[in-house]
Amino acid sequence: MKILIADSMHPSLFNMLDEQGWDYSYHPKFIRDDIKRALPDYEGLVIRSKTYVDHELLSGAEKLKFIARAGAGLDLIDLDEAKERGIEVFHAGTGNRDAVAEHALGMLLSLFNNILKSDREVRKGTWDREGNRGVELMGKTVGIIGYGNNGTATAKRLSGFGCRVLVYDKYRDNYGDAFAEEASVEQIMSEADILSLHIPLTKESRNWINRDFIERFSRPFFLLNLSRGEIVELDAVVNGLKSGKIRGACLDVLENEKLDKLTAAQQESFDYLRTSDNVVLTPHIGGWTHESYVRINVVLVKQIKDWYTFVSA
């Protein structure tokens, strides 16, 4: 079985593939055209976030049997196209869930305790204790939308801080557990102090968090987005921050993460967010730890091995 690895991967992957006796080619600098030209010779494709895998890219890839995404989201793969071609799709949703959950808590605690703001002030010689008085996480009600790998890992950690956690997931039934209560979106809007998003990017979820959604909350709340930036309209977040409906925001993802190619409207929203003391921004690194970099490989290789064992039996 020949596998094309078309993105930068932790070197631990190569030993894992060697142990299985699989042939692979590592081309982290391949661009879209390179991938398309090479694919007809391979049974497997391993990617991260480089290119969209669609009909055009897969045309001619008659030997391709699987696509493995080194990450959690699958919005970069046309799943209908893959299914029609009989191509299996794997992703490492469990590989970085703990990293995402820890990052979510880190952002939230930084925001609640003014850690970034007070750090900047102390470095400049300002010792302002009262101006940086914090807010405690204990006792807060957190609404989580999306109760998959990342959502469950986040709820587990929030429960350890004495939070009440309400969760909604349209793709699951009877998913309440020891860490969270099953709820509707309406109940979350009515009772949550904090909203944390852990959902995939789909046609339905794109631009879901807009001005109307935010205004439907019964009380001011804190917003966390560690899923996909296109789910949240940044101008709606800015409007919510200005009106006081959003008390603060933790954003690991943005609707346009190419900061040198923002539209005029996106630039205006971004300029407000980056100068706001009640906003914490990180560059899409929620699942980007040294440990998850290796764990993603472990998860992917196990999935491929289990599938290959089954189809070869």
Side-chain angles (χ1 to χ4, degrees):
M1 184 166 66
K2 295 178 63 179
I3 301 171
L4 172 63
I5 306 168
D7 254 312
S8 297
M9 299 292 292
H10 189 275
S12 62
L13 176 64
F14 311 132
N15 289 334
M16 297 178 196
L17 296 177
D18 288 336
E19 289 174 359
Q20 301 302 321
W22 297 333
D23 186 15
Y24 60 88
S25 300
Y26 183 48
H27 295 289
K29 295 184 179 181
F30 264 18
I31 60 174
R32 183 179 175 88
D33 288 342
D34 298 323
I35 297 172
K36 183 180 178 181
R37 281 193 296 268
L39 267 185
D41 294 328
Y42 292 90
E43 286 78 38
L45 171 65
V46 179
I47 59 168
R48 189 177 295 280
S49 303
K50 178 176 293 183
T51 190
Y52 186 60
V53 181
D54 54 7
H55 174 82
E56 193 269 340
L57 189 73
L58 295 174
S59 61
E62 301 299 331
K63 295 182 180 179
L64 196 67
K65 297 293 188 291
F66 75 83
I67 301 167
R69 165 103 208 296
L74 291 174
D75 47 283
L76 289 174
I77 301 173
D78 187 330
L79 298 178
D80 292 333
E81 180 71 19
K83 182 178 180 180
E84 184 175 328
R85 291 174 176 269
I87 298 172
E88 292 288 330
V89 177
F90 306 111
H91 69 107
T94 61
N96 62 2
R97 61 185 175 186
D98 295 320
V100 170
E102 290 188 12
H103 194 82
L105 266 294
M107 295 184 81
L108 194 57
L109 292 171
S110 293
L111 179 64
F112 273 28
N113 294 284
N114 296 306
I115 290 174
L116 299 181
K117 174 178 176 291
S118 58
D119 175 78
R120 290 193 298 267
E121 292 174 354
V122 172
R123 290 172 188 270
K124 295 177 181 179
T126 299
W127 194 265
D128 180 11
R129 296 184 68 204
E130 185 56 37
N132 288 295
R133 187 183 292 273
V135 175
E136 292 184 11
L137 187 52
M138 179 176 287
K140 299 294 187 294
T141 296
V142 183
I144 292 179
I145 297 182
Y147 205 51
N149 289 304
N150 294 340
T152 54
T154 302
K156 182 177 181 180
R157 285 156 178 79
L158 285 167
S159 68
F161 279 82
C163 294
R164 177 188 178 215
V165 183
L166 303 175
V167 293
Y168 169 77
D169 194 313
K170 68 171 291 183
Y171 301 106
R172 299 182 61 188
D173 295 311
N174 303 315
Y175 47 86
D177 56 27
F179 308 112
E181 308 170 30
E182 186 174 340
S184 64
V185 173
E186 289 71 25
Q187 184 181 359
I188 289 174
M189 287 179 164
S190 175
E191 301 178 21
D193 303 297
I194 302 161
L195 174 66
S196 188
L197 303 172
H198 301 275
I199 54 179
L201 177 63
T202 65
K203 291 180 180 178
E204 290 180 316
S205 66
R206 185 180 293 273
N207 300 322
W208 188 27
I209 312 303
N210 53 27
R211 292 195 183 199
D212 177 67
F213 185 98
I214 292 168
E215 286 304 313
R216 286 163 58 196
F217 269 74
S218 63
R219 68 181 78 180
F221 68 98
F222 296 90
L223 173 67
L224 282 78
N225 187 15
L226 288 91
S227 52
R228 286 291 182 266
E230 297 92 333
I231 293 169
V232 177
E233 293 183 357
L234 287 191
D235 68 322
V237 175
V238 170
N239 182 71
L241 289 166
K242 289 180 177 179
S243 71
K245 197 57 177 286
I246 296 180
R247 298 179 62 185
C250 299
L251 304 174
D252 181 51
V253 290
L254 301 175
E255 59 183 343
N256 184 355
E257 296 177 0
K258 297 179 180 179
L259 299 185
D260 58 340
K261 296 182 179 179
L262 299 179
T263 66
Q266 290 171 342
Q267 187 68 59
E268 183 178 357
S269 295
F270 179 68
D271 286 343
Y272 181 90
L273 294 171
R274 68 189 180 93
T275 56
S276 175
D277 285 333
N278 56 343
V279 175
V280 176
L281 300 168
T282 53
H284 204 152
I285 55 173
W288 202 253
T289 63
H290 294 286
E291 292 84 355
S292 71
Y293 203 16
V294 176
R295 195 179 302 119
I296 281 172
N297 293 341
V298 175
V299 171
L300 282 183
V301 171
K302 184 181 186 305
Q303 290 181 14
I304 297 169
K305 178 184 176 181
D306 290 346
W307 163 81
Y308 188 69
T309 301
F310 176 77
V311 298
S312 300

